[in-house]
Amino acid sequence: MAIQDQPNGPAELPPSAPATPPTLSPSGAARRRFASAGTSGVLLTLASTPGMAATLCATPSGSLSGGLASAHGTPPACTGLSPGYWKMHPEQWPTASTLTTDLYGTLLKSCTGTSYQTVSMMTILEHQTYDDCNIGMHVAATYLNIKAHKMNVLDVAKLRAIWYSYRSKGYYAPTAGVKWYAADIVLYLRGTMDLLAT
C-alpha cells in the first residue's frame, strides 16, 4: 500500500508563542550576579543548597576566589547562628542583657533618618517591611555572631563598612568591579551561619 503525499506538502505545525523567561527571586538574581562576576562553582553550590548548612567561611573578597580556608594564619571560624536563633534565645546574647533593647542604629551606625535608627536589636531580628531582603536582620545576627566569637572572617568594623556602603550607595563592593546588593550581602552573611542550629 503506497503512502500518499499531502496535496500541499507535509503538514506544518502552528508557530508557538515565544516563551517568556521566568522572573528571578532576589536570591536567584543574587546568584546570577555572583556567577557573572566569576564566582567559583563551590560558592554557588554552597549558597544554593536548600535546607542545608551552607557555610562559606571567607572574607567578602576571599569568597570570590572560592577559597574556604587558608594554609597560613588563624583558620577561619564560621559557626554563626541565624537571626531566628538569636531572636528565640536572648539569654545567650553576648555582652550585657541590655543589648536586646539597644538600638540597631546605635550599634551599626550610619542609619540617621531611617527606620533602622529607632528599631531595637531584638525587633530587627524579625522581618520588617522596610528591611530589603532582610539585610538588617542578617547584619544584626552577624553582629551578635562576631560579639559571641562565633566567626572570625569579619569584625565589627568591617561589618559596619559593609552596612555603611550598602546604606549610602545601595551596594557593597567586596573587590574592584563587583557590586553586592541587598540579596548578595544576605547570601554572603547566611554563608557564615550554621542555619541548622536550633
Side-chain angles (χ1 to χ4, degrees):
M1 180 169 199
I3 299 176
Q4 296 182 349
D5 289 335
Q6 298 273 338
N8 296 328
E12 294 183 17
L13 297 174
S16 59
T20 53
T23 56
L24 292 174
S25 67
S27 61
R31 285 198 270 301
R32 181 169 285 172
R33 281 192 297 277
F34 266 78
S36 65
T39 306
S40 79
V42 172
L43 171 60
L44 295 176
T45 301
L46 291 172
S48 65
T49 307
M52 296 186 69
T55 301
L56 173 66
C57 206
T59 62
S61 61
S63 70
L64 296 176
S65 64
L68 295 177
S70 171
H72 305 288
T74 306
C78 289
T79 58
L81 300 169
S82 71
Y85 182 93
W86 289 118
K87 176 75 177 169
M88 299 303 295
H89 300 283
E91 74 283 355
Q92 294 182 17
W93 284 31
T95 70
S97 60
T98 60
L99 191 57
T100 58
T101 57
D102 283 347
L103 296 181
Y104 178 86
T106 302
L107 297 174
L108 274 298
K109 314 287 191 237
S110 72
C111 301
T112 306
T114 69
S115 297
Y116 292 107
Q117 186 178 15
T118 57
V119 68
S120 73
M121 283 288 284
M122 180 58 85
T123 302
I124 197 68
L125 288 173
E126 59 190 44
H127 175 70
Q128 303 298 314
T129 56
Y130 56 82
D131 191 22
D132 187 26
C133 297
N134 292 325
I135 186 171
M137 174 192 298
H138 285 84
V139 168
T142 302
Y143 179 88
L144 293 170
N145 288 329
I146 293 167
K147 289 294 197 176
H149 306 289
K150 297 202 170 284
M151 62 180 302
N152 64 6
V153 295
L154 286 177
D155 59 20
V156 171
K158 187 64 174 177
L159 182 65
R160 283 180 177 151
I162 292 169
W163 177 248
Y164 180 77
S165 177
Y166 168 72
R167 293 298 301 153
S168 61
K169 300 177 189 174
Y171 65 87
Y172 168 70
T175 190
V178 176
K179 293 179 180 176
W180 285 358
Y181 297 93
D184 305 301
I185 295 168
V186 168
L187 188 64
Y188 168 73
L189 295 177
R190 286 175 58 91
T192 66
M193 298 174 187
D194 179 0
L195 300 178
L196 296 182
T198 56

